[in-house]
Amino acid sequence: MSIHLTHTGFYAGRRYCSSTDAGRNVHGSYAPLQNDDFRAQCCSDCLKVWADSYDDGEAMPSWVESIRNEG
């Protein structure tokens, strides 16, 4: 079972990946994404959406760069 990242604000609780599985939800803004163990449990589609939210040239963690370089 994956951890899914969700929106806050008007779309609070809506998953980044739109999956309907029984996984756990965590608001993306508050998720401890700097923690490798936590991130390893996260839905890969949710992490891709998070990584794609960075603008080109913006400082980003190495794990974000890695995801962005994959595809």
Side-chain angles (χ1 to χ4, degrees):
M1 189 177 327
S2 290
I3 295 173
H4 293 280
L5 302 177
T6 63
H7 294 273
T8 56
F10 184 77
Y11 295 107
R14 185 173 293 174
R15 292 176 173 179
Y16 291 178
C17 69
S18 302
S19 170
T20 58
D21 73 16
R24 179 176 153 213
N25 295 329
V26 175
H27 286 307
S29 299
Y30 304 114
L33 294 172
Q34 72 283 359
N35 181 309
D36 294 337
D37 293 332
F38 177 85
R39 215 172 42 253
Q41 299 175 61
C42 288
C43 165
S44 60
D45 291 334
C46 288
L47 289 175
K48 179 157 179 33
V49 171
W50 182 268
D52 288 344
S53 71
Y54 282 82
D55 292 328
D56 290 338
E58 185 177 2
M60 58 188 80
S62 59
W63 69 266
V64 169
E65 290 178 356
S66 177
I67 289 174
R68 289 171 60 103
N69 290 333
E70 286 176 4

